[in-house]
Amino acid sequence: MLKHEIVACERCGTSIECKANNYTQCQCSSIRLSLNELQFVSENFDGCLCLKCLDDLKTEFAKITDL
């Protein structure tokens, strides 16, 4: 049985369980990002992000693009 890695969210530092080897079970798979939102996140972060930060970044992107 493979164990998942505990990593710090790159944005806030919260400990999260990375399940990159089992993406459908990873917490990050529960948020839906458009291609533009995904690009925005990937331009600013390289590592894992917690669900709250992903949701916050989705909201931030919406505010930026509404200007």
Side-chain angles (χ1 to χ4, degrees):
M1 181 170 166
L2 293 175
K3 294 198 181 246
H4 303 294
E5 185 178 3
I6 303 298
V7 298
C9 171
E10 187 178 331
R11 184 170 179 253
C12 73
T14 299
S15 292
I16 54 175
E17 186 176 16
C18 178
K19 297 181 181 177
N21 62 342
N22 193 1
Y23 175 74
T24 60
Q25 299 298 312
C26 193
Q27 53 93 30
C28 65
S29 70
S30 65
I31 190 165
R32 301 292 173 231
L33 299 174
S34 70
L35 289 176
N36 290 334
E37 291 166 338
L38 186 58
Q39 181 177 356
F40 173 72
V41 171
S42 67
E43 286 174 354
N44 293 286
F45 300 95
D46 294 320
C48 291
L49 298 168
C50 70
L51 191 56
K52 181 183 180 324
C53 284
L54 286 172
D55 191 48
D56 290 348
L57 290 167
K58 183 177 178 82
T59 301
E60 183 180 321
F61 180 77
K63 288 178 183 176
I64 292 169
T65 57
D66 283 343
L67 298 176

